[in-house]
Amino acid sequence: MTETERAENIMRFIYALRSKGVTDAHVLRAMEQIDRAVFLRGVFSERAYEDTPLPIACGQTISQPSVVALMTEALEVTSRHKVLEVGTGSGYQAAILSRLARRVYTVERHRPLVASARAAFEALNLSNITCLASDGSFGLPEQAPFDRILVTAAAEDPPGPLLQQLRIGGIMVVPVGQSDHVQSLIKVRRSETGFDYEELRPVRFVPLLEGMARE
Ligand code: SAH
């Protein structure tokens, strides 16, 4: 791909995000700066700028860019925030978050995905991301509390340990519902007195599974 082709692709990519309702200038800039092709392999990297989910290793998927953008927007991330992402996958969503947050922790149950995501972060010089192999349904107690938590796999309910690791005043965005069905993207806000839940939109994610994957 020539530089001109890449520039045209990025322009179309950003236009597609705007037409899907993404308006936040910071989010759009992060999406413009992070090259999604770096998170894809082989033939799929040529389709990096299509607004579609694509297969990655370990039978998982990189999310649709407009869904990544809308989830990031819903998370209301600022440069003061420490963010936890559950479900690193390709690492693309974590890379977008890293442009907006102070520090990003991202956890994944498939070790090969952790290795390839780390390589991508290094290639892009993203030094404020810590990527760990662990079962994210328990969160990351040693780094809690978090200002923001983003779950990119569907849980039947927002996991209790994640709710507990959210700072008061913090926001968590999580797809909730049975796998293989349409799920709802839920925005949870923690206040002094409890949790407020807002339903954002229907989404479809792979399930949040327990335990580390056996490779
Ligand atoms: N955010 C990713 C896409 C996520 S796909 C991206 O930008 O590419 C969902 C990921 O969640 C998968 O890689 C899956 O292995 C992972 N996952 C599922 N259950 C998990 C758990 N309990 N802990 C950590 N990761 C989990």
Side-chain angles (χ1 to χ4, degrees):
M1 198 183 296
T2 65
E3 271 308 302
T4 320
E5 280 168 344
R6 195 178 121 70
E8 279 171 10
N9 276 332
I10 302 254
M11 236 168 65
R12 269 197 296 272
F13 181 72
I14 298 299
Y15 182 81
L17 296 179
R18 286 184 187 279
S19 73
K20 296 270 170 79
V22 184
T23 55
D24 187 306
H26 294 107
V27 173
L28 287 166
R29 191 171 331 124
M31 301 287 293
E32 195 177 321
Q33 288 172 343
I34 300 289
D35 186 358
R36 188 169 180 247
V38 174
F39 299 88
L40 291 162
R41 289 289 166 270
V43 291
F44 295 115
S45 60
E46 286 158 31
R47 299 180 55 192
Y49 312 110
E50 293 176 24
D51 190 25
T52 182
L54 291 166
I56 56 171
C58 305
Q60 304 303 313
T61 47
I62 184 171
S63 312
Q64 186 176 348
S66 57
V67 173
V68 170
L70 290 165
M71 285 174 86
T72 308
E73 215 171 59
L75 208 59
E76 301 177 30
V77 183
T78 78
S79 56
R80 294 192 308 276
H81 289 154
K82 180 165 78 169
V83 182
L84 172 66
E85 182 199 22
V86 174
T88 311
S90 67
Y92 179 61
Q93 171 76 73
I96 299 295
L97 291 171
S98 81
R99 301 309 308 249
L100 304 165
R102 175 169 58 82
R103 170 116 232 132
V104 177
Y105 292 87
T106 179
V107 298
E108 169 58 54
R109 63 188 288 279
H110 284 280
R111 291 179 195 280
L113 292 178
V114 171
S116 50
R118 282 179 178 161
F121 300 148
E122 215 160 288
L124 295 176
N125 265 316
L126 303 174
S127 54
N128 62 339
I129 310 178
T130 305
C131 183
L132 300 168
S134 85
D135 178 356
S137 23
F138 299 105
L140 200 57
E142 58 273 31
Q143 293 298 340
F146 295 96
D147 302 291
R148 300 289 186 262
I149 299 178
L150 180 59
V151 187
T152 64
E156 287 191 21
D157 290 300
L162 295 183
L163 291 170
Q164 290 318 314
Q165 289 171 33
L166 190 60
R167 194 189 293 283
I168 291 170
I171 295 175
M172 171 157 83
V173 172
V174 51
V176 170
Q178 308 261 325
S179 56
D180 297 333
H181 287 72
V182 172
Q183 305 133 4
S184 269
L185 193 63
I186 305 289
K187 181 168 177 173
V188 185
R189 285 175 196 270
R190 182 169 197 179
S191 69
E192 296 278 354
T193 50
F195 297 93
D196 294 321
Y197 296 85
E198 182 190 345
E199 203 171 324
L200 299 181
R201 66 200 310 273
V203 283
R204 198 162 180 171
F205 277 86
V206 300
L208 186 74
L209 298 174
E210 275 186 23
M212 291 301 291
R214 264 184 266 136
E215 310 304 342

